[in-house]
Amino acid sequence: MKLYSYFRSSASYRVRIALNLKNLSYEYVPVHLVRDGGEQLKSAYRQVNPDAIVPAFVDDEGHTLQQSLAIIEYLEEMHPEPPLLPKSPADRAHVRSLALQVACEIHPVDNLRVLKYLKHTVGADDATKDAWYRHWIEAGFATLEQRLAGDSRTGKLSFGDTPTIADLCIVPQVYNANRFKIDTTRYPTIQRINDYALTLDAFARAAPGVQPDSE
Amino acid sequence: MKLYSYFRSSASYRVRIALNLKNLSYEYVPVHLVRDGGEQLKSAYRQVNPDAIVPAFVDDEGHTLQQSLAIIEYLEEMHPEPPLLPKSPADRAHVRSLALQVACEIHPVDNLRVLKYLKHTVGADDATKDAWYRHWIEAGFATLEQRLAGDSRTGKLSFGDTPTIADLCIVPQVYNANRFKIDTTRYPTIQRINDYALTLDAFARAAPGVQPDSE
Protein backbone atom coordinates (compact mmCIF):
# COMPACT_ATOMS: atom_id res chain seq x y z
CA MET A 1 0.00 0.00 0.00
CA LYS A 2 1.13 3.45 -0.92
CA LEU A 3 -0.07 6.87 0.16
CA TYR A 4 0.69 9.96 -1.90
CA SER A 5 0.72 12.60 0.79
CA TYR A 6 1.89 16.06 1.79
CA PHE A 7 2.70 16.50 5.45
CA ARG A 8 0.48 19.59 5.84
CA SER A 9 -2.43 18.39 3.69
CA SER A 10 -5.32 17.81 6.05
CA ALA A 11 -7.03 15.38 3.67
CA SER A 12 -3.82 13.29 3.67
CA TYR A 13 -3.63 13.62 7.46
CA ARG A 14 -7.14 12.06 7.75
CA VAL A 15 -6.05 8.99 5.79
CA ARG A 16 -2.79 8.66 7.74
CA ILE A 17 -4.79 8.50 10.98
CA ALA A 18 -7.10 5.84 9.50
CA LEU A 19 -4.18 3.72 8.32
CA ASN A 20 -2.57 3.94 11.77
CA LEU A 21 -5.82 3.09 13.58
CA LYS A 22 -6.26 0.05 11.34
CA ASN A 23 -2.62 -0.86 12.06
CA LEU A 24 -1.74 -0.95 8.35
CA SER A 25 1.76 -0.21 7.16
CA TYR A 26 2.21 1.72 3.93
CA GLU A 27 4.79 3.40 1.77
CA TYR A 28 4.74 7.19 2.15
CA VAL A 29 5.19 8.99 -1.19
CA PRO A 30 5.67 12.73 -0.64
CA VAL A 31 4.08 15.18 -3.10
CA HIS A 32 5.23 18.71 -2.38
CA LEU A 33 2.30 21.06 -2.92
CA VAL A 34 4.32 24.26 -2.93
CA ARG A 35 7.86 23.66 -4.24
CA ASP A 36 8.40 24.31 -7.97
CA GLY A 37 4.83 25.56 -8.33
CA GLY A 38 3.46 22.32 -6.91
CA GLU A 39 4.45 18.73 -7.72
CA GLN A 40 0.75 17.78 -7.74
CA LEU A 41 0.33 19.78 -10.96
CA LYS A 42 3.09 17.93 -12.87
CA SER A 43 2.14 15.22 -15.35
CA ALA A 44 3.81 12.49 -13.27
CA TYR A 45 1.34 13.02 -10.45
CA ARG A 46 -1.62 13.77 -12.71
CA GLN A 47 -1.23 10.24 -14.03
CA VAL A 48 -1.85 9.01 -10.49
CA ASN A 49 -4.65 11.49 -9.74
CA PRO A 50 -6.01 13.60 -12.62
CA ASP A 51 -7.59 15.96 -10.10
CA ALA A 52 -4.07 17.02 -9.01
CA ILE A 53 -4.76 16.92 -5.29
CA VAL A 54 -3.50 14.72 -2.45
CA PRO A 55 -4.02 12.17 -1.12
CA ALA A 56 -4.08 9.29 -3.55
CA PHE A 57 -3.93 5.75 -2.25
CA VAL A 58 -2.75 2.61 -4.02
CA ASP A 59 -4.01 -0.62 -2.48
CA ASP A 60 -2.36 -4.04 -2.47
CA GLU A 61 -4.04 -4.99 -5.74
CA GLY A 62 -2.86 -1.83 -7.48
CA HIS A 63 -6.17 0.07 -7.42
CA THR A 64 -5.59 3.79 -7.21
CA LEU A 65 -8.17 5.49 -5.03
CA GLN A 66 -8.73 9.16 -4.42
CA GLN A 67 -10.79 11.43 -2.17
CA SER A 68 -9.89 10.96 1.48
CA LEU A 69 -13.37 9.96 2.69
CA ALA A 70 -13.75 7.39 -0.10
CA ILE A 71 -10.34 5.95 0.84
CA ILE A 72 -11.30 5.81 4.53
CA GLU A 73 -14.65 4.07 3.78
CA TYR A 74 -12.67 1.59 1.66
CA LEU A 75 -10.26 0.90 4.52
CA GLU A 76 -13.27 0.47 6.83
CA GLU A 77 -14.81 -2.11 4.47
CA MET A 78 -11.57 -4.01 3.86
CA HIS A 79 -10.27 -3.86 7.43
CA PRO A 80 -13.32 -3.56 9.70
CA GLU A 81 -11.39 -3.64 12.98
CA PRO A 82 -11.28 -1.39 14.85
CA PRO A 83 -14.45 0.18 13.41
CA LEU A 84 -14.36 3.88 12.55
CA LEU A 85 -18.14 4.10 12.26
CA PRO A 86 -20.78 3.15 14.86
CA LYS A 87 -23.24 0.30 14.31
CA SER A 88 -26.71 1.80 13.88
CA PRO A 89 -27.53 3.57 10.61
CA ALA A 90 -28.73 6.72 12.42
CA ASP A 91 -25.49 6.94 14.41
CA ARG A 92 -23.43 6.25 11.29
CA ALA A 93 -25.27 9.10 9.55
CA HIS A 94 -24.54 11.37 12.52
CA VAL A 95 -20.82 10.57 12.44
CA ARG A 96 -20.63 10.85 8.65
CA SER A 97 -22.41 14.20 8.77
CA LEU A 98 -19.89 15.54 11.30
CA ALA A 99 -17.05 14.39 9.03
CA LEU A 100 -18.74 15.87 5.96
CA GLN A 101 -19.36 19.15 7.72
CA VAL A 102 -15.58 19.54 7.90
CA ALA A 103 -14.88 17.92 4.54
CA CYS A 104 -17.56 19.80 2.57
CA GLU A 105 -18.27 23.03 4.42
CA ILE A 106 -14.89 24.12 5.75
CA HIS A 107 -11.97 22.43 4.08
CA PRO A 108 -12.75 22.87 0.33
CA VAL A 109 -13.34 26.59 0.62
CA ASP A 110 -9.90 27.02 2.22
CA ASN A 111 -8.15 24.68 -0.17
CA LEU A 112 -4.81 25.84 -1.60
CA ARG A 113 -6.09 26.21 -5.15
CA VAL A 114 -9.04 28.29 -3.98
CA LEU A 115 -6.71 30.60 -2.05
CA LYS A 116 -4.47 30.89 -5.11
CA TYR A 117 -7.44 31.82 -7.32
CA LEU A 118 -8.64 34.31 -4.72
CA LYS A 119 -5.23 35.98 -4.70
CA HIS A 120 -4.13 35.81 -8.32
CA THR A 121 -7.43 35.98 -10.25
CA VAL A 122 -9.78 37.86 -7.93
CA GLY A 123 -6.88 40.04 -6.80
CA ALA A 124 -7.42 39.75 -3.04
CA ASP A 125 -4.53 40.95 -0.89
CA ASP A 126 -2.94 38.76 1.80
CA ALA A 127 -5.05 40.25 4.61
CA THR A 128 -8.27 39.48 2.71
CA LYS A 129 -7.03 35.98 1.93
CA ASP A 130 -6.14 35.30 5.58
CA ALA A 131 -9.51 36.67 6.74
CA TRP A 132 -11.23 34.37 4.22
CA TYR A 133 -9.31 31.37 5.58
CA ARG A 134 -10.23 32.17 9.17
CA HIS A 135 -13.84 33.00 8.35
CA TRP A 136 -14.71 29.52 7.02
CA ILE A 137 -13.02 27.73 9.88
CA GLU A 138 -14.69 29.97 12.47
CA ALA A 139 -18.14 29.71 10.85
CA GLY A 140 -17.82 25.94 10.49
CA PHE A 141 -16.40 25.39 13.98
CA ALA A 142 -19.18 27.47 15.57
CA THR A 143 -21.90 25.14 14.27
CA LEU A 144 -19.79 22.03 14.76
CA GLU A 145 -19.23 23.04 18.38
CA GLN A 146 -22.98 23.57 18.83
CA ARG A 147 -23.74 20.15 17.37
CA LEU A 148 -21.08 18.33 19.43
CA ALA A 149 -21.81 20.13 22.70
CA GLY A 150 -25.55 19.52 22.35
CA ASP A 151 -25.44 15.82 21.56
CA SER A 152 -25.45 13.14 24.24
CA ARG A 153 -23.48 10.84 21.94
CA THR A 154 -20.41 13.04 22.22
CA GLY A 155 -17.86 11.54 24.61
CA LYS A 156 -14.12 11.94 24.97
CA LEU A 157 -14.26 12.01 21.17
CA SER A 158 -16.92 13.03 18.63
CA PHE A 159 -18.90 9.85 19.14
CA GLY A 160 -18.26 8.08 22.43
CA ASP A 161 -14.71 7.41 23.51
CA THR A 162 -13.23 5.64 20.51
CA PRO A 163 -12.14 7.25 17.23
CA THR A 164 -14.54 7.63 14.32
CA ILE A 165 -14.21 9.26 10.92
CA ALA A 166 -15.52 12.48 12.50
CA ASP A 167 -12.37 12.73 14.64
CA LEU A 168 -10.24 11.95 11.59
CA CYS A 169 -11.61 15.11 9.98
CA ILE A 170 -11.75 17.35 13.04
CA VAL A 171 -8.16 16.90 14.26
CA PRO A 172 -6.50 17.95 10.95
CA GLN A 173 -8.87 20.92 10.74
CA VAL A 174 -7.84 22.04 14.23
CA TYR A 175 -4.22 21.75 13.07
CA ASN A 176 -5.08 24.20 10.26
CA ALA A 177 -6.84 26.50 12.69
CA ASN A 178 -3.78 26.54 14.93
CA ARG A 179 -1.49 27.35 12.00
CA PHE A 180 -3.61 30.42 11.36
CA LYS A 181 -3.67 31.31 15.07
CA ILE A 182 -7.42 30.94 15.42
CA ASP A 183 -8.50 31.06 19.05
CA THR A 184 -9.88 27.53 19.42
CA THR A 185 -10.71 28.01 23.10
CA ARG A 186 -14.00 29.44 21.77
CA TYR A 187 -14.86 25.88 20.70
CA PRO A 188 -14.25 23.99 23.96
CA THR A 189 -15.74 20.66 22.84
CA ILE A 190 -13.74 20.63 19.60
CA GLN A 191 -10.62 21.63 21.53
CA ARG A 192 -11.16 18.91 24.13
CA ILE A 193 -11.74 16.24 21.46
CA ASN A 194 -8.64 17.33 19.59
CA ASP A 195 -6.48 17.34 22.71
CA TYR A 196 -7.62 13.88 23.73
CA ALA A 197 -7.22 12.45 20.22
CA LEU A 198 -3.63 13.68 20.07
CA THR A 199 -2.79 11.60 23.14
CA LEU A 200 -3.57 8.49 21.08
CA ASP A 201 -0.66 6.92 19.24
CA ALA A 202 -2.45 6.60 15.87
CA PHE A 203 -3.17 10.33 15.82
CA ALA A 204 0.23 11.34 17.13
CA ARG A 205 2.06 9.29 14.48
CA ALA A 206 -0.07 10.87 11.72
CA ALA A 207 0.70 14.46 12.73
CA PRO A 208 2.29 16.71 10.10
CA GLY A 209 5.36 17.39 12.22
CA VAL A 210 6.53 13.76 12.23
CA GLN A 211 6.04 12.90 8.54
CA PRO A 212 9.04 12.08 6.32
CA ASP A 213 8.51 15.28 4.28
CA SER A 214 7.95 17.54 7.29
CA GLU A 215 9.84 20.81 7.14
CA MET B 1 -40.17 11.11 6.45
CA LYS B 2 -39.58 14.75 5.81
CA LEU B 3 -37.11 16.56 3.56
CA TYR B 4 -36.24 20.19 4.13
CA SER B 5 -35.38 21.26 0.61
CA TYR B 6 -35.03 24.16 -1.79
CA PHE B 7 -35.89 23.40 -5.38
CA ARG B 8 -32.62 24.76 -6.77
CA SER B 9 -30.32 23.39 -4.05
CA SER B 10 -28.22 20.72 -5.68
CA ALA B 11 -27.51 18.97 -2.38
CA SER B 12 -31.30 18.69 -1.84
CA TYR B 13 -31.68 17.50 -5.44
CA ARG B 14 -29.25 14.61 -4.74
CA VAL B 15 -31.37 13.40 -1.83
CA ARG B 16 -34.62 13.77 -3.79
CA ILE B 17 -33.22 11.46 -6.48
CA ALA B 18 -32.17 8.90 -3.84
CA LEU B 19 -35.61 8.95 -2.20
CA ASN B 20 -37.26 8.44 -5.59
CA LEU B 21 -34.92 5.62 -6.58
CA LYS B 22 -35.63 3.87 -3.27
CA ASN B 23 -39.33 4.45 -3.92
CA LEU B 24 -39.82 6.24 -0.59
CA SER B 25 -42.51 8.84 -0.14
CA TYR B 26 -41.77 11.88 1.97
CA GLU B 27 -43.13 15.23 3.01
CA TYR B 28 -41.48 18.11 1.16
CA VAL B 29 -40.76 21.10 3.42
CA PRO B 30 -39.62 24.09 1.39
CA VAL B 31 -36.89 26.36 2.79
CA HIS B 32 -36.46 29.41 0.61
CA LEU B 33 -32.75 30.23 0.44
CA VAL B 34 -33.17 33.71 -1.03
CA ARG B 35 -36.46 35.29 0.06
CA ASP B 36 -36.31 37.56 3.14
CA GLY B 37 -32.55 37.17 3.31
CA GLY B 38 -32.85 33.38 3.46
CA GLU B 39 -35.21 31.23 5.54
CA GLN B 40 -32.33 28.87 6.31
CA LEU B 41 -30.77 31.59 8.46
CA LYS B 42 -33.85 32.06 10.68
CA SER B 43 -33.95 30.48 14.12
CA ALA B 44 -36.85 28.16 13.16
CA TYR B 45 -34.66 26.38 10.62
CA ARG B 46 -31.47 26.60 12.67
CA GLN B 47 -33.22 24.45 15.25
CA VAL B 48 -33.55 21.79 12.58
CA ASN B 49 -30.05 22.26 11.18
CA PRO B 50 -27.63 24.52 13.08
CA ASP B 51 -25.44 24.71 9.99
CA ALA B 52 -28.23 26.68 8.22
CA ILE B 53 -28.01 24.79 4.96
CA VAL B 54 -30.36 22.44 3.14
CA PRO B 55 -31.14 19.62 2.98
CA ALA B 56 -32.11 18.24 6.36
CA PHE B 57 -33.91 14.94 6.59
CA VAL B 58 -36.16 13.63 9.34
CA ASP B 59 -36.60 9.87 9.35
CA ASP B 60 -39.58 7.83 10.56
CA GLU B 61 -38.16 7.64 14.08
CA GLY B 62 -37.68 11.40 14.27
CA HIS B 63 -33.90 11.46 13.80
CA THR B 64 -32.81 14.63 12.05
CA LEU B 65 -29.96 14.00 9.64
CA GLN B 66 -27.91 16.47 7.67
CA GLN B 67 -25.29 16.50 4.90
CA SER B 68 -26.67 15.05 1.68
CA LEU B 69 -24.10 12.24 1.32
CA ALA B 70 -24.61 11.11 4.92
CA ILE B 71 -28.38 11.06 4.32
CA ILE B 72 -27.93 9.06 1.11
CA GLU B 73 -25.63 6.50 2.80
CA TYR B 74 -28.27 6.21 5.54
CA LEU B 75 -31.02 5.55 2.98
CA GLU B 76 -28.73 2.98 1.35
CA GLU B 77 -28.24 1.18 4.67
CA MET B 78 -31.92 1.30 5.68
CA HIS B 79 -33.36 0.54 2.23
CA PRO B 80 -30.72 -1.45 0.35
CA GLU B 81 -32.79 -1.99 -2.81
CA PRO B 82 -32.10 -0.87 -5.42
CA PRO B 83 -28.44 -0.41 -4.42
CA LEU B 84 -26.82 2.95 -5.13
CA LEU B 85 -23.31 1.59 -4.58
CA PRO B 86 -21.61 -1.36 -6.32
CA LYS B 87 -20.58 -4.50 -4.45
CA SER B 88 -16.79 -4.63 -4.33
CA PRO B 89 -14.99 -2.26 -1.96
CA ALA B 90 -12.72 -0.96 -4.75
CA ASP B 91 -15.71 -0.18 -6.98
CA ARG B 92 -17.54 1.42 -4.08
CA ALA B 93 -14.51 3.61 -3.44
CA HIS B 94 -14.44 4.56 -7.13
CA VAL B 95 -18.12 5.59 -7.09
CA ARG B 96 -17.80 7.40 -3.78
CA SER B 97 -14.76 9.27 -5.06
CA LEU B 98 -16.67 10.45 -8.15
CA ALA B 99 -19.49 11.66 -5.89
CA LEU B 100 -17.03 13.35 -3.52
CA GLN B 101 -15.23 15.02 -6.39
CA VAL B 102 -18.45 16.91 -7.08
CA ALA B 103 -19.47 17.25 -3.43
CA CYS B 104 -16.06 18.39 -2.13
CA GLU B 105 -14.18 19.95 -5.04
CA ILE B 106 -16.88 21.77 -7.02
CA HIS B 107 -20.07 22.34 -5.10
CA PRO B 108 -18.83 23.87 -1.78
CA VAL B 109 -16.70 26.49 -3.48
CA ASP B 110 -19.75 27.70 -5.46
CA ASN B 111 -22.12 27.53 -2.51
CA LEU B 112 -24.46 30.48 -2.00
CA ARG B 113 -22.82 31.64 1.22
CA VAL B 114 -19.37 31.57 -0.38
CA LEU B 115 -20.63 33.67 -3.30
CA LYS B 116 -22.22 36.12 -0.85
CA TYR B 117 -18.95 36.46 1.08
CA LEU B 118 -17.04 36.91 -2.17
CA LYS B 119 -19.37 39.73 -3.19
CA HIS B 120 -20.08 41.50 0.08
CA THR B 121 -16.88 40.98 2.09
CA VAL B 122 -14.16 40.55 -0.54
CA GLY B 123 -15.93 43.12 -2.74
CA ALA B 124 -15.93 41.14 -6.00
CA ASP B 125 -18.21 42.50 -8.73
CA ASP B 126 -20.83 40.34 -10.45
CA ALA B 127 -18.57 39.50 -13.40
CA THR B 128 -15.84 38.25 -11.05
CA LYS B 129 -18.40 36.26 -9.06
CA ASP B 130 -19.84 34.64 -12.18
CA ALA B 131 -16.35 33.83 -13.47
CA TRP B 132 -15.57 32.23 -10.09
CA TYR B 133 -18.71 30.11 -10.31
CA ARG B 134 -17.89 28.92 -13.81
CA HIS B 135 -14.21 28.33 -13.04
CA TRP B 136 -14.83 25.71 -10.35
CA ILE B 137 -17.38 23.83 -12.41
CA GLU B 138 -15.16 23.87 -15.50
CA ALA B 139 -12.04 22.81 -13.59
CA GLY B 140 -13.94 20.06 -11.79
CA PHE B 141 -15.77 18.82 -14.87
CA ALA B 142 -12.54 18.66 -16.88
CA THR B 143 -10.99 16.13 -14.51
CA LEU B 144 -14.28 14.33 -13.90
CA GLU B 145 -14.68 13.93 -17.66
CA GLN B 146 -11.15 12.56 -17.91
CA ARG B 147 -11.81 10.05 -15.15
CA LEU B 148 -15.17 8.90 -16.53
CA ALA B 149 -14.05 8.74 -20.18
CA GLY B 150 -10.93 6.76 -19.26
CA ASP B 151 -12.58 4.14 -17.05
CA SER B 152 -13.99 0.89 -18.43
CA ARG B 153 -16.54 0.80 -15.60
CA THR B 154 -18.35 3.83 -17.05
CA GLY B 155 -21.53 2.77 -18.86
CA LYS B 156 -24.72 4.58 -19.71
CA LEU B 157 -24.20 6.08 -16.26
CA SER B 158 -21.13 6.77 -14.11
CA PHE B 159 -20.79 3.14 -13.09
CA GLY B 160 -22.46 0.68 -15.43
CA ASP B 161 -26.03 1.25 -16.51
CA THR B 162 -27.84 1.67 -13.20
CA PRO B 163 -27.79 4.74 -10.96
CA THR B 164 -25.19 5.18 -8.23
CA ILE B 165 -24.45 8.01 -5.83
CA ALA B 166 -22.03 9.39 -8.43
CA ASP B 167 -24.95 10.11 -10.79
CA LEU B 168 -26.91 11.63 -7.91
CA CYS B 169 -24.15 14.23 -7.56
CA ILE B 170 -23.34 14.74 -11.24
CA VAL B 171 -26.87 15.46 -12.52
CA PRO B 172 -27.57 18.35 -10.09
CA GLN B 173 -24.14 19.79 -10.85
CA VAL B 174 -24.92 19.75 -14.59
CA TYR B 175 -28.17 21.56 -13.77
CA ASN B 176 -26.08 24.28 -12.10
CA ALA B 177 -23.72 24.40 -15.07
CA ASN B 178 -26.67 24.87 -17.43
CA ARG B 179 -28.08 27.68 -15.31
CA PHE B 180 -24.78 29.49 -15.74
CA LYS B 181 -24.68 28.70 -19.48
CA ILE B 182 -21.52 26.63 -19.29
CA ASP B 183 -20.85 24.79 -22.53
CA THR B 184 -21.19 21.20 -21.31
CA THR B 185 -20.59 19.74 -24.80
CA ARG B 186 -16.90 20.01 -23.83
CA TYR B 187 -17.58 17.20 -21.34
CA PRO B 188 -19.27 14.62 -23.59
CA THR B 189 -19.28 11.75 -21.11
CA ILE B 190 -20.77 13.88 -18.34
CA GLN B 191 -23.31 15.28 -20.81
CA ARG B 192 -24.26 11.82 -22.03
CA ILE B 193 -24.64 10.47 -18.46
CA ASN B 194 -26.76 13.46 -17.49
CA ASP B 195 -29.00 13.16 -20.55
CA TYR B 196 -29.57 9.45 -20.00
CA ALA B 197 -30.24 9.88 -16.26
CA LEU B 198 -32.89 12.49 -16.96
CA THR B 199 -34.84 9.95 -19.02
CA LEU B 200 -35.29 7.94 -15.80
CA ASP B 201 -38.40 8.66 -13.79
CA ALA B 202 -36.62 9.00 -10.41
CA PHE B 203 -34.34 11.71 -11.78
CA ALA B 204 -37.08 13.49 -13.72
CA ARG B 205 -39.33 13.68 -10.66
CA ALA B 206 -36.48 15.13 -8.58
CA ALA B 207 -35.71 17.96 -11.01
CA PRO B 208 -35.91 21.53 -9.67
CA GLY B 209 -38.57 22.57 -12.18
CA VAL B 210 -41.17 20.13 -10.85
CA GLN B 211 -40.76 20.71 -7.09
CA PRO B 212 -43.59 22.24 -5.02
CA ASP B 213 -41.53 25.40 -4.39
CA SER B 214 -40.33 25.78 -7.98
CA GLU B 215 -40.58 29.31 -9.34
Side-chain angles (χ1 to χ4, degrees):
Chain A
M1 285 183 288
K2 215 189 276 193
L3 182 69
Y4 292 85
S5 170
Y6 178 58
F7 74 111
R8 270 195 187 129
S9 149
S10 56
S12 303
Y13 189 174
R14 295 173 197 155
V15 179
R16 296 194 302 255
I17 301 168
L19 286 161
N20 291 346
L21 284 166
K22 300 287 187 186
N23 211 12
L24 299 167
S25 59
Y26 61 97
E27 181 190 346
Y28 188 104
V29 186
V31 180
H32 202 294
L33 300 192
V34 181
R35 199 168 52 210
D36 292 339
E39 286 176 4
Q40 79 280 17
L41 301 171
K42 314 285 186 208
S43 66
Y45 185 68
R46 279 189 193 270
Q47 281 170 22
V48 176
N49 184 352
D51 208 25
I53 48 178
V54 288
F57 177 73
V58 183
D59 73 9
D60 279 334
E61 291 165 358
H63 300 117
T64 300
L65 308 177
Q66 47 190 277
Q67 286 292 333
S68 60
L69 290 179
I71 297 166
I72 292 166
E73 294 266 1
Y74 171 84
L75 294 173
E76 180 75 357
E77 292 177 355
M78 293 294 283
H79 307 278
E81 294 300 326
L84 303 181
L85 282 167
K87 282 201 177 134
S88 88
D91 288 342
R92 293 163 73 85
H94 172 64
V95 166
R96 284 191 174 114
S97 77
L98 293 169
L100 287 164
Q101 202 180 328
V102 174
C104 291
E105 309 306 330
I106 302 175
H107 179 248
V109 192
D110 279 350
N111 214 335
L112 182 61
R113 58 185 172 190
V114 174
L115 301 177
K116 276 187 184 170
Y117 187 96
L118 189 64
K119 182 168 179 174
H120 298 298
T121 306
V122 175
D125 59 22
D126 282 339
T128 304
K129 186 167 68 68
D130 288 354
W132 171 286
Y133 193 96
R134 285 198 196 93
H135 174 78
W136 300 110
I137 295 182
E138 289 171 351
F141 273 11
T143 52
L144 194 61
E145 173 66 26
Q146 190 184 339
R147 291 187 63 199
L148 288 165
D151 198 300
S152 62
R153 293 169 287 188
T154 307
K156 286 184 187 167
L157 292 166
S158 304
F159 184 91
D161 298 337
T162 52
T164 61
I165 60 167
D167 307 305
L168 272 55
C169 291
I170 289 172
V171 168
Q173 195 60 60
V174 172
Y175 168 80
N176 290 342
N178 288 337
R179 271 187 73 209
F180 276 75
K181 306 206 189 318
I182 288 169
D183 176 13
T184 52
T185 61
R186 284 177 291 166
Y187 318 108
T189 315
I190 293 174
Q191 175 88 67
R192 173 174 70 66
I193 288 168
N194 177 72
D195 292 351
Y196 178 70
L198 288 174
T199 66
L200 304 175
D201 177 67
F203 285 80
R205 281 191 293 122
V210 297
Q211 302 313 303
D213 57 339
S214 177
E215 286 163 5
Chain B
M1 284 183 286
K2 215 188 277 192
L3 183 69
Y4 291 84
S5 170
Y6 179 57
F7 73 112
R8 269 194 189 129
S9 148
S10 57
S12 302
Y13 190 175
R14 294 172 197 157
V15 179
R16 296 195 302 256
I17 302 169
L19 286 161
N20 292 346
L21 284 166
K22 300 287 188 185
N23 210 14
L24 299 167
S25 59
Y26 62 96
E27 181 190 347
Y28 187 104
V29 186
V31 180
H32 202 295
L33 299 193
V34 181
R35 200 167 51 208
D36 292 338
E39 287 177 3
Q40 78 281 15
L41 301 172
K42 314 285 185 207
S43 66
Y45 185 69
R46 281 190 192 271
Q47 280 170 24
V48 177
N49 184 351
D51 208 24
I53 48 176
V54 289
F57 178 74
V58 183
D59 73 9
D60 279 334
E61 291 167 356
H63 299 117
T64 300
L65 308 178
Q66 47 191 277
Q67 286 293 333
S68 61
L69 290 178
I71 297 167
I72 292 166
E73 295 265 3
Y74 170 83
L75 294 174
E76 179 77 356
E77 292 177 355
M78 292 294 283
H79 307 278
E81 295 299 326
L84 303 181
L85 282 168
K87 284 202 176 134
S88 89
D91 288 342
R92 293 163 74 84
H94 173 63
V95 167
R96 284 191 175 113
S97 77
L98 293 169
L100 287 164
Q101 202 181 329
V102 174
C104 291
E105 308 307 330
I106 302 176
H107 179 249
V109 193
D110 279 350
N111 214 335
L112 181 62
R113 59 184 172 192
V114 175
L115 300 177
K116 277 186 184 172
Y117 187 96
L118 189 63
K119 182 169 179 175
H120 299 298
T121 305
V122 176
D125 59 20
D126 283 339
T128 303
K129 187 168 69 68
D130 288 355
W132 171 286
Y133 193 96
R134 285 198 196 90
H135 174 78
W136 299 108
I137 295 182
E138 289 171 351
F141 273 12
T143 51
L144 195 61
E145 173 67 26
Q146 189 185 339
R147 290 186 63 199
L148 287 165
D151 198 301
S152 62
R153 293 169 287 188
T154 308
K156 286 183 187 166
L157 291 166
S158 304
F159 183 90
D161 299 337
T162 53
T164 61
I165 60 168
D167 307 303
L168 272 55
C169 291
I170 289 172
V171 168
Q173 195 60 59
V174 172
Y175 168 80
N176 290 341
N178 289 336
R179 273 186 72 207
F180 276 74
K181 305 206 189 320
I182 287 168
D183 177 12
T184 52
T185 61
R186 283 176 290 166
Y187 318 107
T189 314
I190 293 173
Q191 175 88 68
R192 174 174 69 66
I193 287 169
N194 177 71
D195 292 352
Y196 178 70
L198 288 174
T199 68
L200 305 175
D201 177 65
F203 285 80
R205 282 192 293 122
V210 297
Q211 300 314 302
D213 57 338
S214 177
E215 287 164 4

